[in-house]
C-alpha cells in the first residue's frame, strides 16, 4: 500500500456550462483531502463532453487552472480529468481461468490465488471485440467466483481450482479523447488519468451502504446526465444521456422570449419541476424588455412548462439505468447530483419516475472551502480527487511527486507572463 504524504492532486471537470478545477493536498494519515484552491469559469468550446472549439476550450481550461493555482499558491503540472459524452459505451463481461491443470483430469489441485492470477483473469474480461476507434476506460470488478463459490470481493490468498471474474467495462471513442487531451496539453497540463464522470461523482456522493444495497446516481449537468448503477459494492451499469438541465433554460427562454441568462435566473429563482408544488396565486414580475410592459408570470404556469421537460430527461435517465443487469426495485435510492439537481422539485419527480426514494446530494468528505464547494455542481471535480486517492493507495497509479510537495508559486507567474491568451 502506497503512503501518500502531502501530495498535490488536481481534478479537472470540463462541463458544458462550467469548467471546474479543484486542487487538493492529500495525505494517507488524514482520510479526507484538504482543498487548497479551486477555479470555476464558464465553459467555452465544449458541448456535451465534446470539444467543439479547441482554442476556446483551451483558454477556458487555462483560466480555470490559473484561478485555482493562484488561490492554492501552488503550480500544478498534471490533473485527473472527468470524461462524459454519448461516445461512452459500457457492458458487463466475464473472464475465467484455471488456476492449476492436471494433464489427465483437467483441473488440478486447488492452490492459493496470487495477485498475478487476479490481474490475468481481469485481463481475460477484456477479450471482447472493439472497433478500431474505441478503447477501454475502466474495468470495474463486480465479483469473483472461485470454483462454484460466487460473491467473492477479494480473492487474494483464497484457494481454488478455477477463478472467474465478472466486471463492468466502459470504453470511449479515441478521437473524442484525443481532442480533449489536446486542449489540456495546450493549457500546459499533463493528464494523470481520465475518469468516467459518473464514477467520479459516485466517489464524492455515495455512502458505502448505497453502493452495497444498491443505488442509481444521476449527475444532472447542463448538457448531459451521467448515470451509474451500483449494487452489491459493484458497478452494474454506466451510461450518458445526451440531454440535460440546459434544455429547461432554453424552453423558458423561448416561452417567455427572454435572453438565456435571464431564463437561467428565472429557472433558479422561480422554477419548479413539479406543478403540484407551486401556489396558483404566486407570481413573479418580469421586466418589460425593449419598451414592453412589465409582465406578471405565475409560478404555476412556469412549472407547467418545466415539468414535462424534466420528466422527459428523468425518463431517459430511468431507461438508461434500467439497462443494468439488476432489478432497480432492489435499489435503496436514487441519488441526484450535478447543478441540474438543484431545480426545486426534481427529487420529488425522480421519486415518482424511479419509484424509489430520491435525494439531492452535494460532494462530501473533504476539508476546507466546504461551504463554497458543497454544491452538487462540484461533485465530479471533488470526486476526481477522491478517485485519485483510492487509485494511488491501491498502488495502480503512476507515482508522482511526493514529500513536502507544495511547490510554491512559480508556474502561475510563468503562465501569466506567457502570451497564451
Ligand atoms: N440553483 C439552481 N437551480 C436550478 N438549476 C440550477 C441551479 N444551479 C445550477 N443549475 C443548473 O445546473 C446546470 C449546470 O449544472 P452543472 O454545473 O453540473 O453542469 P455541467 O457540468 O457544466 O454540464 P455537463 O455535465 O452536462 O457537461 C444548468 O442547467 C443550471 O441551470
Ligand atoms: Mg457535469
Amino acid at each position: 500500500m502506497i503512503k501518500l504524504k502531502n501530495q498535490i492532486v488536481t481534478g479537472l471537470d470540463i462541463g458544458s456550462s462550467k469548467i471546474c478545477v479543484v486542487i487538493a493536498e492529500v495525505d494517507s494519515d488524514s482520510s479526507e483531502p484538504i482543498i487548497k484552491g479551486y477555479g470555476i469559469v464558464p465553459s467555452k468550446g465544449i458541448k456535451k463532453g465534446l470539444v467543439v472549439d479547441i482554442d476556446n476550450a483551451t483558454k477556458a481550461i487555462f483560466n480555470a487552472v490559473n484561478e485555482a493555482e493562484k488561490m492554492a499558491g501552488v503550480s500544478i503540472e498534471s490533473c485527473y480529468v472527468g470524461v462524459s459524452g454519448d461516445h461512452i459505451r459500457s457492458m458487463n463481461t466475464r473472464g475465467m481461468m484455471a488456476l492449476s491443470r492436471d494433464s489427465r483430469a483437467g483441473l488440478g489441485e486447488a492452490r492459493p490465488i496470487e495477485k498475478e492470477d487476479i490481474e490475468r483473469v481481469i485481463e481475460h474480461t477484456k477479450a471482447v471485440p472493439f472497433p478500431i476507434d474505441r478503447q477501454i476506460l475502466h474495468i470495474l470488478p463486480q465479483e469473483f467466483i472461485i470454483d462454484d463459490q460466487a460473491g467473492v470481493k477479494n480473492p487474494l490468498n483464497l484457494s481454488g481450482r478455477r477463478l472467474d471474474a465478472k466486471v463492468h467495462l466502459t470504453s470511449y471513442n479515441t478521437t473524442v479523447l484525443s481532442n480533449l487531451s489536446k486542449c489540456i496539453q495546450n493549457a500546459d497540463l499533463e493528464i494523470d488519468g481520465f475518469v468516467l464522470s459518473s464514477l467520479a461523482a459516485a466517489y464524492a456522493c455515495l455512502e458505502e451502504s448505497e453502493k452495497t444495497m444498491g443505488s442509481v446516481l444521476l449527475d444532472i449537468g447542463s448538457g448531459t446526465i451521467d448515470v451509474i448503477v451500483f449494487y452489491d459494492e459493484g458497478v452494474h451499469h454506466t451510461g450518458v444521456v445526451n440531454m440535460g438541465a440546459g434544455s429547461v433554460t432554453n424552453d423558458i427562454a423561448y416561452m417567455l422570449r427572454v435572453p438565456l441568462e435571464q431564463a437561467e435566473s428565472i429557472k433558479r429563482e422561480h422554477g419548479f419541476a413539479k406543478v403540484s408544488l407551486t401556489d396558483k396565486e404566486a407570481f413573479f414580475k418580469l421586466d418589460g424588455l425593449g419598451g414592453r410592459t412589465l409582465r406578471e408570470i405565475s409560478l404555476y404556469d412556469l412549472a407547467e412548462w418545466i415539468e414535462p421537460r424534466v420528466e422527459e430527461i428523468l425518463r431517459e435517465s430511468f431507461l438508461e439505468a434500467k439497462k443494468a443487469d439488476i432489478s432497480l426495485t432492489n435499489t435503496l435510492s436514487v441519488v441526484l447530483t450535478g447543478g441540474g439537481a438543484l431545480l426545486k422539485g426534481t427529487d420529488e419527480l425522480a421519486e415518482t419516475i424511479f419509484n424509489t426514494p430520491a435525494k439531492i446530494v452535494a460532494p462530501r468528505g473533504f476539508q476546507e472551502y466546504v461551504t463554497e464547494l458543497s454544491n452538487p455542481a462540484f461533485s465530479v471535480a471533488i470526486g476526481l480527487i477522491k478517485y485519485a486517492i483510492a487509485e494511488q493507495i491501491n498502488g495502480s497509479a503512476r507515482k508522482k511527486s511526493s514529500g513536502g510537495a507544495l511547490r510554491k508559486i512559480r508556474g502561475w507567474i510563468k503562465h501569466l507572463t506567457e502570451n497564451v491568451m
Side-chain angles (χ1 to χ4, degrees), residues 124-141:
H124 290 178
T125 64
K126 295 200 288 192
V128 277
F130 276 111
I132 191 143
D133 60 348
R134 207 146 259 292
Q135 269 183 15
I136 291 173
L137 181 59
H138 297 292
I139 305 173
L140 306 166

Side-chain angles (χ1 to χ4, degrees), residues 15-18 220-224 245-246 264 267-268 338-340 342-343 377:
S16 307
S17 72
K18 53 98 183 56
I220 308 175
S222 159
T224 55
E264 176 69 34
K267 179 174 87 169
R268 290 183 188 212
L342 289 170
L343 175 65

